[in-house]
Amino acid sequence: MGKIYYVMGKSSSGKDTIYKCLRERHPEYRAVVPYTTRPIREGERDGEEYFFVTEDEMDRLKDSGKIIELRSYNTQCGVWNYFTVDDGQINTESYDYLMIGTLESYSALKKYFGEERIIPVYIEVEDGVRLERALKRERCQENPKYSEMCRRFLADEKDFSEENLRQAGIVDRFENDDLEMCLAEIERYMKV
């Protein structure tokens, strides 16, 4: 039986970097590309970080019953949707996977695939460090969206509250103040 190792954490916790490093180090784990209706960011490529789709395309997937889980965020730039689609990417009978997402999406996928198949990898970073990282990343954008950066930062406090983490069954946590040490700890956890 295959497993889905699900990397998650607050914005600017380094989860994207950790996910990419794990993918490079362990290509035997397959990736699952989520979908979004948000605009593509500088440096992103369609089909890599996300499948970037229109709202009409999302509605067609929803109408056909293909959407496993869907989250909508009313951002400073409009409503952005993020979702996972049952599009043939996941076959837990034969393969192990690495995925990345939110606590909400983790919980929905755990319900869909079963608790024994989804293994949480929760990344933590001190809030001041996260805020510095977020600001540095946003400054690199052609059109920085500082208000959206702040909204995400504050929303994460609620989304990843201790109560929500407990309800989702998150016990193990990985502190990302040293990338290599964090990766080594996660690899031991994954037994790779």
Side-chain angles (χ1 to χ4, degrees):
M1 173 175 67
K3 303 276 188 209
I4 301 170
Y5 288 91
Y6 203 85
V7 179
M8 64 190 129
K10 295 176 181 176
S11 61
S12 299
S13 62
K15 65 185 174 293
D16 292 304
T17 299
I18 287 169
Y19 173 78
K20 287 175 185 174
C21 288
L22 290 171
R23 291 273 306 129
E24 288 171 10
R25 291 181 182 199
H26 304 286
E28 68 274 19
Y29 287 86
R30 294 187 169 203
V32 177
V33 181
Y35 289 66
T36 186
T37 60
R38 79 155 165 78
I40 193 167
R41 290 183 185 144
E42 191 173 322
E44 290 180 326
R45 290 183 294 203
D46 186 40
E48 298 231 355
E49 293 84 5
Y50 293 97
F51 288 113
F52 295 91
V53 297
T54 65
E55 289 200 25
D56 287 342
E57 290 169 309
M58 179 190 73
D59 289 340
R60 281 193 291 278
L61 288 166
K62 190 187 306 179
D63 292 343
S64 67
K66 295 283 190 183
I67 293 182
I68 296 171
E69 60 84 26
L70 168 68
R71 293 151 284 119
S72 299
Y73 301 99
N74 190 9
T75 74
Q76 298 293 319
C77 307
V79 175
W80 291 351
N81 300 288
Y82 295 84
F83 50 103
T84 306
V85 175
D86 188 352
D87 59 1
Q89 290 185 74
I90 303 172
N91 175 358
T92 56
E93 295 302 320
S94 302
Y95 303 104
D96 290 316
Y97 295 86
L98 278 169
M99 288 183 73
I100 186 170
T102 66
L103 187 61
E104 183 182 352
S105 60
Y106 161 77
S107 295
L109 288 168
K110 184 169 75 167
K111 184 177 179 182
Y112 187 84
F113 288 106
E115 188 170 346
E116 68 284 353
R117 293 188 192 261
I118 308 288
I119 311 299
V121 180
Y122 180 62
I123 311 301
E124 287 188 319
V125 173
E126 190 272 324
D127 283 344
V129 173
R130 282 193 321 107
L131 191 54
E132 288 174 3
R133 290 177 180 177
L135 186 57
K136 182 178 179 183
R137 179 177 72 188
E138 203 58 40
R139 283 184 174 144
C140 293
Q141 298 298 312
E142 187 175 319
N143 296 306
K145 295 176 174 68
Y146 297 112
S147 57
E148 175 55 21
M149 178 199 78
C150 291
R151 185 208 62 81
R152 280 194 320 265
F153 189 86
L154 294 172
D156 280 347
E157 290 304 305
K158 180 180 176 189
D159 295 345
F160 288 96
S161 70
E162 288 301 318
E163 174 66 21
N164 288 346
L165 291 170
R166 188 173 61 257
Q167 286 180 357
I170 304 300
V171 176
D172 298 302
R173 299 170 186 222
F174 302 92
E175 185 69 34
N176 185 20
D177 52 7
D178 179 297
L179 179 60
E180 285 305 315
M181 286 179 61
C182 185
L183 284 166
E185 190 178 337
I186 292 168
E187 288 170 327
R188 280 192 298 275
Y189 175 72
M190 294 173 61
K191 297 178 176 69
V192 292

